[in-house]
Amino acid sequence: MALRAVLREAVTQFKRAGLAFGHGMHNARDEAIYLILHTLELPLGELDSVLDRYLSPGELESVRAVLQRRIHERRPAAYLTREAWLGEFRFYVDERAIVPRSFIAELLRDGLVPWVKDKRQIRSALDLCTGSGCLAVLAAHAFPKARIDAADLSTEALLVARRNVKDYALGRRVRLVQCDLFDRLAARRYDLILSNPPYVNAAAMRALPREYRREPRLALAGGRDGLALVHRLLAQAAEHLHPLGLLIVEIGHNRKTLELAYPRLPFVWLDTSAGEDYVFMLRKEDLL
């Protein structure tokens, strides 16, 4: 059977099953392509050159097995393959941590230009709610002079983060910290604080598709308004920032709720592939 036919079959089955996407791929075709190429150990970016390739009986069995797991278990593809990609960076992930995905990752590709004019000026950074450690790893690459603290309440998520830090040989620059926001960072000050905290509100949590309920609830649930941790962040961040320090936070679909709650804060909304409603920036002086 040709790969082209297998792909067509997979897309039909995914659509018929009503799968939910959003953990790296956003539609049935992209996710089917990823799972097929990964299973066959073929380059992920070279679909056209292999579409007419015929699968052996063993290959076909392996591909169909992973596609059926995706349908029947309703696990995000990343949990089936034990990997997730942010740009060119590959991260290990399993059910102990949320699947890596963040608009902040896009912003780090360019080193937060124009808000950070010289990458060398970032000497210390904090990734709060680090999960798999993906943003800490990306920040270490974006700011080569920086030492990074990667903090999370979940000890299990930090085990996943530890593996990713080790995979990128960043053990001397990225320190993992088990804590509830700033509670074990009292004496620490940073040039940059990043956070992709839990921000799903209570109503949305009740309506989550099965794929999202496979992820740790702790990494998703943001309280009644989705901003429980963000409120605490805004109250405490200033005392952990150096002068001219920056706070960058991802909040999902909660921009209107946030601006109503803090009408006097001069939020700067950063441009991402989804628009300007998802990630805000504040300076230390704004928080004061």
Side-chain angles (χ1 to χ4, degrees), residues 23 35 38 70 143 149 158 183 195 250 255 263 270 272 280:
H23 294 90
L35 285 172
H38 181 275
R70 177 67 181 90
F143 307 111
D149 282 347
L158 287 172
D183 68 353
S195 187
E250 184 167 335
R255 175 173 176 171
L270 305 182
T272 72
F280 72 77

PDB file of all heavy atoms in Angstrom, residues 23 35 38 70 143 149 158 183 195 250 255 263 270 272 280:
ATOM      1  N   HIS A  23      -2.122  20.146  19.866  1.00  0.00           N
ATOM      2  CA  HIS A  23      -0.910  19.841  20.634  1.00  0.00           C
ATOM      3  C   HIS A  23       0.308  19.794  19.708  1.00  0.00           C
ATOM      4  O   HIS A  23       1.110  18.869  19.746  1.00  0.00           O
ATOM      5  CB  HIS A  23      -1.068  18.512  21.367  1.00  0.00           C
ATOM      6  CG  HIS A  23      -2.110  18.520  22.421  1.00  0.00           C
ATOM      7  ND1 HIS A  23      -3.433  18.189  22.164  1.00  0.00           N
ATOM      8  CD2 HIS A  23      -2.051  18.844  23.732  1.00  0.00           C
ATOM      9  CE1 HIS A  23      -4.129  18.293  23.297  1.00  0.00           C
ATOM     10  NE2 HIS A  23      -3.316  18.693  24.253  1.00  0.00           N
ATOM     11  N   LEU A  35       2.447  11.424  12.460  1.00  0.00           N
ATOM     12  CA  LEU A  35       2.487  10.092  13.054  1.00  0.00           C
ATOM     13  C   LEU A  35       3.009   9.049  12.068  1.00  0.00           C
ATOM     14  O   LEU A  35       3.773   8.149  12.445  1.00  0.00           O
ATOM     15  CB  LEU A  35       1.098   9.707  13.556  1.00  0.00           C
ATOM     16  CG  LEU A  35       0.647  10.392  14.845  1.00  0.00           C
ATOM     17  CD1 LEU A  35      -0.815  10.091  15.134  1.00  0.00           C
ATOM     18  CD2 LEU A  35       1.527   9.967  16.019  1.00  0.00           C
ATOM     19  N   HIS A  38       6.866   9.752  11.499  1.00  0.00           N
ATOM     20  CA  HIS A  38       7.618   9.407  12.703  1.00  0.00           C
ATOM     21  C   HIS A  38       7.723   7.895  12.867  1.00  0.00           C
ATOM     22  O   HIS A  38       8.800   7.357  13.169  1.00  0.00           O
ATOM     23  CB  HIS A  38       6.947  10.026  13.936  1.00  0.00           C
ATOM     24  CG  HIS A  38       7.681   9.736  15.217  1.00  0.00           C
ATOM     25  ND1 HIS A  38       7.477   8.568  15.928  1.00  0.00           N
ATOM     26  CD2 HIS A  38       8.617  10.449  15.898  1.00  0.00           C
ATOM     27  CE1 HIS A  38       8.265   8.587  17.009  1.00  0.00           C
ATOM     28  NE2 HIS A  38       8.951   9.696  17.005  1.00  0.00           N
ATOM     29  N   ARG A  70      -4.083   6.442  18.484  1.00  0.00           N
ATOM     30  CA  ARG A  70      -4.497   7.863  18.525  1.00  0.00           C
ATOM     31  C   ARG A  70      -6.015   7.985  18.573  1.00  0.00           C
ATOM     32  O   ARG A  70      -6.555   8.825  19.307  1.00  0.00           O
ATOM     33  CB  ARG A  70      -3.935   8.591  17.300  1.00  0.00           C
ATOM     34  CG  ARG A  70      -4.356  10.045  17.184  1.00  0.00           C
ATOM     35  CD  ARG A  70      -3.753  10.894  18.307  1.00  0.00           C
ATOM     36  NE  ARG A  70      -4.193  12.283  18.198  1.00  0.00           N
ATOM     37  CZ  ARG A  70      -5.293  12.763  18.776  1.00  0.00           C
ATOM     38  NH1 ARG A  70      -6.054  11.979  19.520  1.00  0.00           N
ATOM     39  NH2 ARG A  70      -5.622  14.031  18.625  1.00  0.00           N
ATOM     40  N   PHE A 143      19.541  33.647  24.885  1.00  0.00           N
ATOM     41  CA  PHE A 143      20.365  34.567  25.672  1.00  0.00           C
ATOM     42  C   PHE A 143      21.578  33.812  26.217  1.00  0.00           C
ATOM     43  O   PHE A 143      21.557  33.297  27.337  1.00  0.00           O
ATOM     44  CB  PHE A 143      19.535  35.174  26.807  1.00  0.00           C
ATOM     45  CG  PHE A 143      18.260  35.804  26.322  1.00  0.00           C
ATOM     46  CD1 PHE A 143      17.028  35.248  26.628  1.00  0.00           C
ATOM     47  CD2 PHE A 143      18.293  36.950  25.537  1.00  0.00           C
ATOM     48  CE1 PHE A 143      15.849  35.827  26.171  1.00  0.00           C
ATOM     49  CE2 PHE A 143      17.126  37.531  25.068  1.00  0.00           C
ATOM     50  CZ  PHE A 143      15.904  36.968  25.384  1.00  0.00           C
ATOM     51  N   ASP A 149      16.615  30.008  35.883  1.00  0.00           N
ATOM     52  CA  ASP A 149      15.908  29.180  36.858  1.00  0.00           C
ATOM     53  C   ASP A 149      14.613  28.701  36.195  1.00  0.00           C
ATOM     54  O   ASP A 149      13.866  29.506  35.620  1.00  0.00           O
ATOM     55  CB  ASP A 149      15.559  29.976  38.119  1.00  0.00           C
ATOM     56  CG  ASP A 149      16.756  30.142  39.038  1.00  0.00           C
ATOM     57  OD1 ASP A 149      17.771  29.446  38.838  1.00  0.00           O
ATOM     58  OD2 ASP A 149      16.682  30.977  39.970  1.00  0.00           O
ATOM     59  N   LEU A 158       9.054  18.332  36.637  1.00  0.00           N
ATOM     60  CA  LEU A 158      10.474  18.692  36.711  1.00  0.00           C
ATOM     61  C   LEU A 158      11.377  17.529  36.322  1.00  0.00           C
ATOM     62  O   LEU A 158      12.496  17.743  35.841  1.00  0.00           O
ATOM     63  CB  LEU A 158      10.821  19.201  38.116  1.00  0.00           C
ATOM     64  CG  LEU A 158      10.276  20.591  38.444  1.00  0.00           C
ATOM     65  CD1 LEU A 158      10.499  20.909  39.918  1.00  0.00           C
ATOM     66  CD2 LEU A 158      10.929  21.665  37.572  1.00  0.00           C
ATOM     67  N   ASP A 183       7.849  31.093  45.995  1.00  0.00           N
ATOM     68  CA  ASP A 183       8.005  30.842  47.433  1.00  0.00           C
ATOM     69  C   ASP A 183       9.387  30.341  47.840  1.00  0.00           C
ATOM     70  O   ASP A 183       9.749  30.443  49.007  1.00  0.00           O
ATOM     71  CB  ASP A 183       6.899  29.918  47.958  1.00  0.00           C
ATOM     72  CG  ASP A 183       6.999  28.489  47.421  1.00  0.00           C
ATOM     73  OD1 ASP A 183       7.850  28.233  46.537  1.00  0.00           O
ATOM     74  OD2 ASP A 183       6.223  27.637  47.889  1.00  0.00           O
ATOM     75  N   SER A 195       6.538  33.285  31.758  1.00  0.00           N
ATOM     76  CA  SER A 195       5.610  32.316  32.337  1.00  0.00           C
ATOM     77  C   SER A 195       4.499  31.969  31.359  1.00  0.00           C
ATOM     78  O   SER A 195       3.898  32.856  30.754  1.00  0.00           O
ATOM     79  CB  SER A 195       4.992  32.860  33.630  1.00  0.00           C
ATOM     80  OG  SER A 195       4.219  31.849  34.258  1.00  0.00           O
ATOM     81  N   GLU A 250       1.955  34.407  29.097  1.00  0.00           N
ATOM     82  CA  GLU A 250       0.937  33.942  28.155  1.00  0.00           C
ATOM     83  C   GLU A 250      -0.357  33.653  28.918  1.00  0.00           C
ATOM     84  O   GLU A 250      -0.323  33.007  29.968  1.00  0.00           O
ATOM     85  CB  GLU A 250       1.426  32.680  27.443  1.00  0.00           C
ATOM     86  CG  GLU A 250       0.483  32.168  26.380  1.00  0.00           C
ATOM     87  CD  GLU A 250       1.121  31.111  25.492  1.00  0.00           C
ATOM     88  OE1 GLU A 250       2.363  31.091  25.369  1.00  0.00           O
ATOM     89  OE2 GLU A 250       0.359  30.305  24.911  1.00  0.00           O
ATOM     90  N   ARG A 255      -7.559  37.980  27.615  1.00  0.00           N
ATOM     91  CA  ARG A 255      -7.132  39.385  27.576  1.00  0.00           C
ATOM     92  C   ARG A 255      -8.202  40.328  28.133  1.00  0.00           C
ATOM     93  O   ARG A 255      -7.889  41.199  28.967  1.00  0.00           O
ATOM     94  CB  ARG A 255      -6.774  39.791  26.140  1.00  0.00           C
ATOM     95  CG  ARG A 255      -6.448  41.277  26.028  1.00  0.00           C
ATOM     96  CD  ARG A 255      -5.942  41.672  24.658  1.00  0.00           C
ATOM     97  NE  ARG A 255      -5.729  43.111  24.579  1.00  0.00           N
ATOM     98  CZ  ARG A 255      -5.126  43.732  23.558  1.00  0.00           C
ATOM     99  NH1 ARG A 255      -4.679  43.031  22.529  1.00  0.00           N
ATOM    100  NH2 ARG A 255      -4.976  45.041  23.566  1.00  0.00           N
ATOM    101  N   PRO A 263      -7.260  47.831  35.084  1.00  0.00           N
ATOM    102  CA  PRO A 263      -7.412  48.898  34.087  1.00  0.00           C
ATOM    103  C   PRO A 263      -6.254  49.898  34.070  1.00  0.00           C
ATOM    104  O   PRO A 263      -6.069  50.601  33.075  1.00  0.00           O
ATOM    105  CB  PRO A 263      -8.721  49.574  34.496  1.00  0.00           C
ATOM    106  CG  PRO A 263      -8.885  49.246  35.948  1.00  0.00           C
ATOM    107  CD  PRO A 263      -8.317  47.878  36.117  1.00  0.00           C
ATOM    108  N   LEU A 270       2.036  41.428  22.783  1.00  0.00           N
ATOM    109  CA  LEU A 270       3.069  41.067  21.815  1.00  0.00           C
ATOM    110  C   LEU A 270       2.478  40.300  20.639  1.00  0.00           C
ATOM    111  O   LEU A 270       1.566  39.488  20.790  1.00  0.00           O
ATOM    112  CB  LEU A 270       4.154  40.234  22.500  1.00  0.00           C
ATOM    113  CG  LEU A 270       4.791  40.906  23.734  1.00  0.00           C
ATOM    114  CD1 LEU A 270       5.895  40.018  24.315  1.00  0.00           C
ATOM    115  CD2 LEU A 270       5.348  42.285  23.387  1.00  0.00           C
ATOM    116  N   THR A 272       2.042  37.607  17.926  1.00  0.00           N
ATOM    117  CA  THR A 272       2.360  36.196  17.717  1.00  0.00           C
ATOM    118  C   THR A 272       1.642  35.711  16.460  1.00  0.00           C
ATOM    119  O   THR A 272       0.879  36.454  15.839  1.00  0.00           O
ATOM    120  CB  THR A 272       1.911  35.345  18.916  1.00  0.00           C
ATOM    121  OG1 THR A 272       0.474  35.244  18.919  1.00  0.00           O
ATOM    122  CG2 THR A 272       2.366  35.947  20.234  1.00  0.00           C
ATOM    123  N   PHE A 280       1.306  39.058  27.083  1.00  0.00           N
ATOM    124  CA  PHE A 280       1.545  40.452  27.458  1.00  0.00           C
ATOM    125  C   PHE A 280       2.944  40.625  28.049  1.00  0.00           C
ATOM    126  O   PHE A 280       3.570  39.662  28.519  1.00  0.00           O
ATOM    127  CB  PHE A 280       0.484  40.958  28.441  1.00  0.00           C
ATOM    128  CG  PHE A 280       0.576  40.405  29.841  1.00  0.00           C
ATOM    129  CD1 PHE A 280       1.522  40.859  30.762  1.00  0.00           C
ATOM    130  CD2 PHE A 280      -0.335  39.439  30.268  1.00  0.00           C
ATOM    131  CE1 PHE A 280       1.583  40.362  32.050  1.00  0.00           C
ATOM    132  CE2 PHE A 280      -0.281  38.925  31.560  1.00  0.00           C
ATOM    133  CZ  PHE A 280       0.689  39.388  32.452  1.00  0.00           C
TER     134      PHE A 280
END
